[in-house]
Amino acid sequence: MKVLLPDSVELDVTLPDGVTAVTYAIAAPVPDEHTDAEVLIVWGNPPDRLADAAQRLKRLRWVQTLAAGPDAVLQAGFEPSVAVTAGLGLHDRTVAEHTLALLLGAARRINLLVRAQIGHRWAGELGGLQPVRENRSFRTLRDAHVVIWGFGGIAATLAPLLTALGARVTGVARSAGQRHGFPVVTDAGLPELLPTADVLVAILPATAETVRTLDGRVFDLLPSHAWVVNVGRGSTLDEDALLSALRDGRIGGAALDVFATEPLPAGSGLWDEPNVIISPHAAGGRPLGAAALIGENLAAFREGRPLRNRVA
């Protein structure tokens, strides 16, 4: 059995007996001599190359993406008989760390401090003596209420970091209850929950149901000082509605790592908003534990056992 490994990440995979690994260039078509592969590992593959692989790899039986979200693979046109597994768990620590950085940057107004530094201006209004408690302003994680919409592995890693800094965390997911020691409500609870939030963190997947879920109705439920943080998928955010809410002062700010179009077009109004922090889809980018996941799933695949993180 032949498995194709991408050249976009170093992988030292333990291969089961009878499995041959070939490294392929993600930016080029899979060479003809390797279109007999039964397994394709994907990481950072351009959409056109994924679509090409879907058409030309006629013996393919399984695609393992190292991305947490499998949307790019699911949209590439692979046959329904081809199993698809996602990289769930590989990005929990890196995305949680980046999200924490965005939250701290927003609370401590790093975006405004950097603007002042570029202009060689001492931003005295952001320093010196400050109130112990801020009213109607997000300036600290201490006693802040952080709502995390999409309470999976990333949220489970992030939430304890937030509570260690004094925040109160509530999750939003498909089913209500307790997860990892934190209260979780469903979407139906948002009208009561969001007015109490200081920050809304979105870690939603890209599905037909989540397209522009973060819209004007959501922003109108938030307090005027609340920040919106999106580290899930760009398709889940209505960027026009966000801009309108920011310019009207209906929300306090936004920290965004993902966008509907990437790179974010130079003409986007988001670039010029002082209370917007933009990062270039940088939260993940390092699939930690990828080799172990691939090795585990290869062994399961050879033995006919269920694959971990199967989504299709």
Side-chain angles (χ1 to χ4, degrees):
M1 184 176 74
K2 182 184 293 184
V3 54
L4 298 181
L5 301 177
D7 66 352
S8 49
V9 62
E10 184 177 346
L11 293 169
D12 184 13
V13 180
T14 299
L15 300 174
D17 292 339
V19 176
T20 301
V22 175
T23 300
Y24 72 99
I26 65 167
V30 174
D32 289 339
E33 62 268 29
H34 297 311
T35 56
D36 60 344
E38 295 181 59
V39 180
L40 176 67
I41 311 300
V42 170
W43 177 238
N45 301 52
D48 60 334
R49 296 308 179 201
L50 276 179
D52 179 75
Q55 293 299 314
R56 295 176 53 239
L57 273 61
K58 299 300 185 182
R59 296 184 59 187
L60 196 66
R61 298 168 58 200
W62 163 39
V63 178
Q64 168 74 65
T65 175
L66 302 184
D71 40 295
V73 170
L74 296 176
Q75 295 166 8
F78 290 98
E79 291 293 328
S81 59
V82 176
V84 177
T85 51
L88 298 174
L90 303 183
H91 305 276
D92 292 356
R93 284 182 288 170
T94 53
V95 177
E97 181 180 47
H98 194 84
T99 306
L100 180 61
L102 292 175
L103 283 164
L104 289 172
R108 306 306 297 179
R109 299 298 190 263
I110 301 301
N111 53 312
L112 300 181
L113 294 175
V114 170
R115 284 173 175 251
Q117 179 180 347
I118 291 172
H120 295 196
R121 184 181 72 84
W122 182 264
E125 72 279 9
L126 297 174
L129 303 181
Q130 300 174 50
V132 173
R133 294 190 179 277
E134 295 279 356
N135 294 318
R136 301 187 62 80
S137 179
F138 172 55
R139 294 299 304 272
T140 176
L141 284 172
R142 177 175 41 83
D143 298 326
H145 184 198
V146 180
V147 174
I148 304 179
W149 196 352
F151 208 85
I154 294 169
T157 303
L158 173 65
L161 303 178
L162 299 176
T163 56
L165 292 172
R168 177 168 63 94
V169 176
T170 304
V172 181
R174 291 182 177 178
S175 57
Q178 289 278 325
R179 291 194 187 183
H180 311 287
F182 296 92
V184 175
V185 303
T186 66
D187 296 5
L190 288 173
E192 291 77 32
L193 181 64
L194 291 183
T196 71
D198 297 294
V199 183
L200 172 62
V201 177
I203 318 178
L204 294 167
T207 67
E209 293 76 23
T210 62
V211 173
R212 290 185 290 281
T213 293
L214 300 167
D215 60 10
R217 293 170 296 179
V218 169
F219 306 143
D220 286 342
L221 288 170
L222 291 166
S224 60
H225 69 275
W227 276 62
V228 174
V229 178
N230 190 19
V231 292
R233 285 290 186 264
S235 62
T236 66
L237 173 65
D238 185 332
E239 293 176 9
D240 290 337
L242 177 67
L243 265 174
S244 177
L246 287 164
R247 290 170 174 171
D248 293 345
R250 288 183 283 127
I251 60 173
L256 310 172
D257 184 59
V258 289
F259 303 88
T261 300
E262 296 181 355
L264 181 65
S268 170
L270 293 170
W271 289 110
D272 297 319
E273 289 298 315
N275 280 337
V276 171
I277 299 173
I278 291 173
S279 64
H281 206 141
R286 290 149 288 182
L288 305 180
L293 174 62
I294 295 168
E296 175 187 333
N297 266 349
L298 278 172
F301 188 71
R302 287 283 287 173
E303 297 166 13
R305 294 186 283 109
L307 298 173
R308 178 178 155 194
N309 296 345
R310 182 162 182 172
V311 294

